[in-house]
Amino acid sequence: MADDTFTYNGGSVAPGERANIRYGISETYFGDPVRIPVTIINGERPGPTVFLSAAAHGDELNGIEVVRAVAHEWDLHSLAGTLVCLPVLNVPGFLAQQRYLPIYDRDLNRSFPGSQTSTNAKRMAHQIYTNFIEPCDLGLDFHTSTRGRTNMLHVRADVDDEAVRRLALAFGSRVIIAGEGPEGTLRREASRAGTPTITIEMGEAHRFQRELIDEALAGTESVLAEYGMLERSAVRWPGWRTVIDSTSDKTWIRSDVGGIVEMELEPGEMVEEGETICTITDPFMTEHTTVDAPFTGLLVGVLENPVVYPGNPLCHLAALDEPTQKLVR
Ligand SMILES: [Zn+2]
């Protein structure tokens, strides 16, 4: 069974074993190791190797709980294949509770696949990538909206790639935003190199949102079912589904005035053309500006921090086709 042993630089995990590892990816100013937590669960039965990663942006917490629950709360005794669980990729950002790596504000999620001889961010990315991403057959990378905004749970994936498409559909989210993603993101670089990977966007930074975490756990279970890794689980169907691609109408609606925003709708709600999305008022509540939907669609994301300058985004609206509109209504 030597073939099914998971091997990384410094150790290995044989079939039927699990390991909690603190893996050094860099050093502090004191020369102490900067270590990421990694849990590897190697099932007794053969199957694919799948990574689950979170907090590549240090303040995006929802995914951490998803990855920890899979690794430490799920009954995986009949698992076929291997799970590589990486709950916190950006440890320095997590400790500072900020999105980027501290000091130079480098974005770890623009640094993949990394490099052994480049910047600190790229060296960290290289350690993570070569040891724990490259050996995998598939991957799920969990994110949230940027601070000050929130979004409904959705998948981002390059659905033009057949293998990525299969993974994206298997997660069973209602919304998939198509596209390969920016250069240097974990999902783009891993997918391009032969490890199909999708991003799951869920909610807002700096908090645990139980409903979204449970939804993401259901999606993860659905993925493991699709690839035959869990015995008694099934692939889920979300009731309706829309793939938003480059030809779909979608827009960030921006404020034309400065003011205080009263949002009428939640992320994930459908809004009809002409319906009011939010009202923006001045401090005396004498000036009211209403913002109406330019077309019928789904509010994928909305702002959380209810203050805007002219030009600030209010919400992310994506058009829905007629048949999907009927299903949502
Ligand atoms: Zn993120």
Side-chain angles (χ1 to χ4, degrees):
M1 294 298 283
D3 284 351
D4 292 326
T5 296
F6 184 91
T7 309
Y8 58 96
N9 181 22
S12 62
V13 183
E17 288 184 353
R18 64 155 61 219
N20 289 329
I21 304 154
R22 294 175 194 268
Y23 194 82
I25 58 165
S26 187
E27 291 179 7
T28 70
Y29 294 146
F30 294 122
D32 297 328
V34 170
R35 301 186 300 180
I36 60 165
V38 185
T39 297
I40 295 167
I41 302 133
N42 195 338
E44 276 172 18
R45 299 187 294 140
T49 301
V50 177
F51 78 82
L52 310 176
S53 59
H57 294 131
D59 61 352
E60 300 182 0
L61 308 184
N62 278 327
I64 297 174
E65 202 54 9
V66 176
V67 178
R68 291 202 318 162
V70 172
H72 305 291
E73 289 172 3
W74 278 17
D75 175 6
L76 295 168
H77 76 272
S78 67
L79 178 73
T82 301
L83 292 177
V84 178
C85 300
L86 304 153
V88 183
L89 292 180
N90 179 355
V91 164
F94 177 69
L95 294 177
Q97 279 302 286
Q98 65 177 47
R99 178 179 178 84
Y100 299 119
L101 289 163
I103 312 300
Y104 297 113
D105 279 351
R106 295 252 191 207
D107 190 342
L108 181 64
N109 202 33
R110 296 291 184 278
S111 305
F112 291 100
S115 156
Q116 231 171 341
T117 53
S118 182
T119 62
N120 177 237
K122 286 197 170 169
R123 289 178 193 217
M124 285 191 204
H126 174 81
Q127 288 296 333
I128 294 167
Y129 192 85
T130 53
N131 284 291
F132 302 111
I133 306 297
E134 221 166 29
C136 292
D137 300 306
L138 308 164
L140 306 178
D141 187 30
F142 294 92
H143 285 255
T144 74
S145 209
T146 312
R147 189 174 51 150
R149 296 184 211 158
T150 187
N151 52 38
M152 69 181 297
L153 187 145
H154 66 275
V155 161
R156 296 187 174 218
D158 181 12
V159 294
D160 292 338
D161 178 321
E162 258 321 303
V164 176
R165 183 183 179 83
R166 180 181 171 199
L167 177 59
L169 294 179
F171 196 86
S173 66
R174 287 176 163 171
V175 173
I176 297 171
I177 297 185
E180 57 178 349
E183 195 92 27
T185 53
L186 180 55
R187 80 168 161 102
R188 174 175 168 143
E189 302 305 331
S191 295
R192 190 188 266 176
T195 301
T197 298
I198 61 171
T199 296
I200 298 92
E201 293 279 350
M202 49 190 290
E204 57 182 302
H206 294 286
R207 47 183 296 215
F208 280 163
Q209 293 167 285
R210 196 64 240 178
E211 263 177 49
L212 293 173
I213 291 166
D214 288 342
E215 198 183 336
L217 284 168
T220 304
E221 185 178 353
S222 179
V223 165
L224 300 192
E226 167 74 15
Y227 294 91
M229 297 176 73
L230 294 177
E231 251 174 349
R232 270 183 290 278
S233 299
V235 179
R236 69 175 184 155
W237 166 247
W240 56 269
R241 171 151 65 207
T242 184
V243 178
I244 299 163
D245 60 25
S246 57
T247 64
S248 312
D249 265 338
K250 60 177 183 299
T251 184
W252 273 100
I253 296 174
R254 291 175 185 276
S255 179
D256 291 326
V257 297
I260 297 164
V261 182
E262 205 177 309
M263 188 60 66
E264 308 277 345
L265 299 156
E266 303 267 325
E269 282 190 80
M270 190 170 79
V271 59
E272 308 278 346
E273 182 178 346
E275 197 184 328
T276 298
I277 295 172
C278 63
T279 306
I280 304 166
T281 54
D282 67 7
F284 313 108
M285 298 188 87
T286 49
E287 294 287 334
H288 293 253
T289 307
T290 59
V291 177
D292 302 333
F295 50 81
T296 298
L298 199 66
L299 279 180
V300 177
V302 301
L303 91 170
E304 271 292 317
N305 187 353
V307 290
V308 286
Y309 289 122
N312 281 167
L314 294 163
C315 67
H316 190 193
L317 182 68
L320 286 177
D321 59 24
E322 284 282 349
T324 311
Q325 286 178 26
K326 287 210 180 88
L327 287 174
V328 179
R329 280 190 198 105

